[in-house]
Amino acid sequence: MKREIIIFHPGQKEYCHCEGVTQNAGRPKQSPDTIRRLLRQTTARNDIKKRVPWFITMTAVLSVVCIPLSAQTDSLHNLTVENAVRLAMMHNPELVSARLEVDRSDARVMEAWGYTMPSVDLSGNFNHIVTKPKSYFPDAIYYPLVKLMDSTAKVPKPTGQLIELPFSMTPTNSANAALNVRQILFNGSVFIGVGAANVYSKMARDIFLQKKVETVAKVRKAYYGALLAREALTMMQSNLKNAEENLKNVQLLRSQGIVSEYDELRATVGVDNLRPIVIQTETGFDLAVTNLRNTIGIADSVKFVPAESLTLQEVDESIVMTANETVLESNPNLNIVKHQIELNDAMVYAEKANFLPTIAAYGSYSYTAIKDDYKISTNDFYKQSQVGLTFSLNLFQGLQTSSRIEQAQLEKQKTEEQKGSLERNLQMGIRSVVGTLRQARKRVDAQQKTVETAERGYKIVTARFLTNAATQLEVNDAQLALSQAKVNRMQSIYDYLVAATELDSMLGRLPEYVNEEEE
């Protein structure tokens, strides 16, 4: 039996007309007059509400919403993903540590160059002898000197022994000032060390780049996770609101005897089941925001909310098409391993250099004075200067050098094996990420159509329920189908954004605003 019925939709403060709605044969039939009378009573109650000036209602809403927000303006910030990344560039502890390591590597380069430069030392000393040592002289020289100085002196015949002198020949005071210069002319380890320090500096920069890429990826994923949690919270709050409005309609129809007690119980249980889920999603959103804050590295006192929405951001197809080749050229981890191989090469050559000689030039210029009293003047100093070359070559060191060379070569082979394994893993990983990206993109399109279909189905079954043409079970099923469709769509968008982030991370790509900030 077809009738023209006025239908009230949950979530809408309006009525619409539907034609051709058939009553459910399993329900007690209600006369058209009864249904119209029931809905006219509802309309009258709503008309009374409409007599209240609309601006009074808006004032009440603004007093509840706007005032708390204005009070929090100083501490609550709308955070975009770009701002989140910029904050992480400044505050993330791992990134700060990597930046310091770059500065340290530059200092090591300067240190390595320092070994090729001359070494200049200035020294000075003053000595005072408290107790002078005894002096001895051979009697074969001492006796003739005594006889020469005093011809009348009687001296014994020399016996070849040492005679203790009556005075000490060591001066009481001595002073010395010297300038020494040394320059390495050839040393294999020194020159190889300069090249190794430059390689280490490049590797430190690649490590810093890898940390930047990793930090950006972590922040983006954490931000998208917060957006997903907020979307889930908004959806569950909307579901709860629809369920509460549906419960009101069921209670209204129940009071008029149109629906059974069972339908009212199911609607009540549906509302009660949604409330703890809303609380769980609120907790999940708070945890997602906390995770984002920790990933950025900012204090808990800084309050913020994600300013963006969970929307699809397409990846350039040319990047996806060339990803398999690009990853072997621009992946930061692979570049680090390549520099490590260069360092291993340098270590091998440095150990082999121990078989080569070391040649150095030196020179010194000094002033020295000796005197028994403290009356030392500039005239008491005599100068001395010298230059020369030194040559040293190790002939045998117990096979230590050969063993160290072998260890360095084995270390290089080990790193080369790691490089091959990393290349294979990167190629497999990039194919997986590209596959996930394409699959998520298809799911987004499919789930968008599913959401639209589920929304239309929910409106239809709600309208049928109000005309006693559908059961509360059908309403619950439609609500569940709509919720599942929305969840699937949000999850597909989140999966796409995460896959795009992983693709950028594997390719070593940074957002343009990060590169602009560095310039």
Side-chain angles (χ1 to χ4, degrees), residues 385-455:
S385 60
Q386 61 179 344
V387 294
L389 293 174
T390 62
F391 175 90
S392 63
L393 176 64
N394 178 261
L395 298 179
F396 183 73
Q397 204 175 13
L399 301 178
Q400 296 180 30
T401 303
S402 299
S403 299
R404 287 196 296 267
I405 292 174
E406 183 180 2
Q407 293 176 42
Q409 290 173 338
L410 292 174
E411 191 67 28
K412 177 187 174 182
Q413 293 177 11
K414 221 167 75 173
T415 309
E416 288 174 343
E417 289 295 328
Q418 293 175 359
K419 174 176 172 286
S421 176
L422 180 59
E423 288 176 343
R424 291 189 294 271
N425 291 336
L426 286 175
Q427 289 178 333
M428 182 176 64
I430 204 69
R431 286 194 292 268
S432 175
V433 169
V434 170
T436 302
L437 192 70
R438 296 188 186 280
Q439 180 189 21
R441 185 65 185 86
K442 294 178 181 179
R443 285 167 49 207
V444 170
D445 294 335
Q447 292 301 326
Q448 178 61 34
K449 297 178 181 178
T450 304
V451 170
E452 294 173 358
T453 303
E455 286 177 344

Side-chain angles (χ1 to χ4, degrees), residues 288-446:
V289 172
T290 301
N291 178 55
L292 176 58
R293 177 184 291 107
N294 294 337
T295 304
I296 295 174
I298 57 180
D300 294 340
S301 58
V302 180
K303 305 298 181 182
F304 63 86
V305 291
E308 300 181 12
S309 58
L310 193 65
T311 56
L312 187 66
Q313 301 173 10
E314 296 274 0
V315 178
D316 190 350
E317 184 62 23
S318 61
I319 296 176
V320 179
M321 294 295 294
T322 59
N324 205 28
E325 295 78 20
T326 307
V327 70
L328 297 180
E329 300 174 359
S330 59
N331 182 266
N333 289 325
L334 187 58
N335 290 333
I336 292 172
V337 175
K338 290 178 181 177
H339 287 315
Q340 184 62 51
I341 293 176
E342 294 179 18
L343 282 178
N344 293 142
D345 269 334
M347 289 299 299
V348 173
Y349 288 124
E351 295 299 340
K352 288 182 177 180
N354 291 326
F355 289 123
L356 302 177
T358 298
I359 302 175
Y362 69 91
S364 66
Y365 190 86
S366 64
Y367 280 92
T368 305
I370 55 176
K371 206 166 185 181
D372 284 331
D373 55 29
Y374 292 103
K375 298 178 180 181
I376 301 176
S377 65
T378 56
N379 295 327
D380 296 324
F381 286 91
Y382 64 90
K383 61 183 178 180
Q384 181 182 3
S385 60
Q386 61 179 344
V387 294
L389 293 174
T390 62
F391 175 90
S392 63
L393 176 64
N394 178 261
L395 298 179
F396 183 73
Q397 204 175 13
L399 301 178
Q400 296 180 30
T401 303
S402 299
S403 299
R404 287 196 296 267
I405 292 174
E406 183 180 2
Q407 293 176 42
Q409 290 173 338
L410 292 174
E411 191 67 28
K412 177 187 174 182
Q413 293 177 11
K414 221 167 75 173
T415 309
E416 288 174 343
E417 289 295 328
Q418 293 175 359
K419 174 176 172 286
S421 176
L422 180 59
E423 288 176 343
R424 291 189 294 271
N425 291 336
L426 286 175
Q427 289 178 333
M428 182 176 64
I430 204 69
R431 286 194 292 268
S432 175
V433 169
V434 170
T436 302
L437 192 70
R438 296 188 186 280
Q439 180 189 21
R441 185 65 185 86
K442 294 178 181 179
R443 285 167 49 207
V444 170
D445 294 335

Side-chain angles (χ1 to χ4, degrees), residues 129-182:
I129 298 177
V130 178
T131 302
K132 292 185 178 182
K134 295 180 179 181
S135 299
Y136 296 88
F137 219 70
D139 60 357
I141 299 176
Y142 177 72
Y143 290 151
L145 288 176
V146 173
K147 189 68 177 177
L148 181 62
M149 295 174 64
D150 186 3
S151 59
T152 60
K154 294 182 180 181
V155 295
K157 184 178 179 179
T159 60
Q161 296 181 353
L162 293 177
I163 301 299
E164 180 180 348
L165 300 179
F167 56 89
S168 175
M169 298 181 64
T170 303
T172 303
N173 301 310
S174 64
N176 176 267
L179 179 68
N180 300 304
V181 180
R182 187 174 186 271

Side-chain angles (χ1 to χ4, degrees), residues 108-122:
R108 292 187 65 174
V109 172
M110 292 302 300
E111 179 189 5
W113 276 107
Y115 288 110
T116 65
M117 299 178 184
S119 172
V120 182
D121 298 323
L122 179 63

Side-chain angles (χ1 to χ4, degrees), residues 29-293:
K29 295 183 179 180
Q30 303 291 336
S31 66
D33 293 337
T34 302
I35 296 177
R36 287 193 179 95
R37 184 175 65 255
L38 172 64
L39 294 178
R40 277 197 300 271
Q41 294 173 357
T42 305
T43 304
R45 286 193 293 268
N46 282 278
D47 288 340
I48 294 174
K49 295 178 181 179
K50 291 180 181 179
R51 294 192 184 101
V52 180
W54 66 271
F55 59 87
I56 297 179
T57 305
M58 290 303 297
T59 303
V61 172
L62 290 175
S63 65
V64 174
V65 176
C66 297
I67 293 177
L69 287 179
S70 62
Q72 296 176 358
T73 301
D74 295 336
S75 59
L76 187 64
H77 304 281
N78 292 326
L79 187 69
T80 63
V81 65
E82 178 178 340
N83 292 335
V85 170
R86 291 180 186 275
L87 287 173
M89 292 294 103
M90 296 184 293
H91 299 287
N92 186 271
E94 294 182 1
L95 200 58
V96 173
S97 177
R99 188 181 291 111
L100 294 176
E101 184 61 28
V102 171
D103 296 338
R104 179 172 173 268
S105 68
D106 292 339
R108 292 187 65 174
V109 172
M110 292 302 300
E111 179 189 5
W113 276 107
Y115 288 110
T116 65
M117 299 178 184
S119 172
V120 182
D121 298 323
L122 179 63
S123 61
N125 62 73
F126 174 81
N127 293 323
H128 172 76
I129 298 177
V130 178
T131 302
K132 292 185 178 182
K134 295 180 179 181
S135 299
Y136 296 88
F137 219 70
D139 60 357
I141 299 176
Y142 177 72
Y143 290 151
L145 288 176
V146 173
K147 189 68 177 177
L148 181 62
M149 295 174 64
D150 186 3
S151 59
T152 60
K154 294 182 180 181
V155 295
K157 184 178 179 179
T159 60
Q161 296 181 353
L162 293 177
I163 301 299
E164 180 180 348
L165 300 179
F167 56 89
S168 175
M169 298 181 64
T170 303
T172 303
N173 301 310
S174 64
N176 176 267
L179 179 68
N180 300 304
V181 180
R182 187 174 186 271
Q183 172 65 58
I184 294 179
L185 302 179
F186 178 81
N187 187 308
S189 299
V190 170
F191 297 110
I192 292 172
V194 173
N198 283 306
V199 173
Y200 180 78
S201 179
K202 294 177 182 178
M203 187 173 72
R205 281 167 169 75
D206 280 336
I207 293 175
F208 178 58
L209 175 61
Q210 187 266 339
K211 288 295 182 183
K212 279 206 301 185
V213 171
E214 180 181 339
T215 300
V216 170
K218 287 181 178 179
V219 171
R220 289 173 63 184
K221 289 181 181 179
Y223 191 89
Y224 297 146
L227 293 181
L228 179 63
R230 187 179 62 182
E231 292 288 340
L233 175 59
T234 302
M235 184 196 68
M236 295 310 302
Q237 289 174 340
S238 176
N239 290 346
L240 179 60
K241 181 179 179 181
N242 289 342
E244 289 174 344
E245 291 177 349
N246 179 65
L247 176 60
K248 292 179 182 178
N249 289 331
V250 172
Q251 289 174 342
L252 181 61
L253 296 175
R254 165 69 177 152
S255 65
Q256 301 299 325
I258 299 176
V259 298
S260 64
E261 181 183 3
Y262 176 74
D263 291 328
E264 182 180 5
L265 291 176
R266 285 194 64 88
T268 303
V269 171
V271 172
D272 293 340
N273 287 338
L274 283 174
R275 286 198 177 102
I277 298 177
V278 171
I279 296 174
Q280 290 177 1
T281 53
E282 288 175 349
T283 304
F285 176 64
D286 292 339
L287 292 176
V289 172
T290 301
N291 178 55
L292 176 58
R293 177 184 291 107

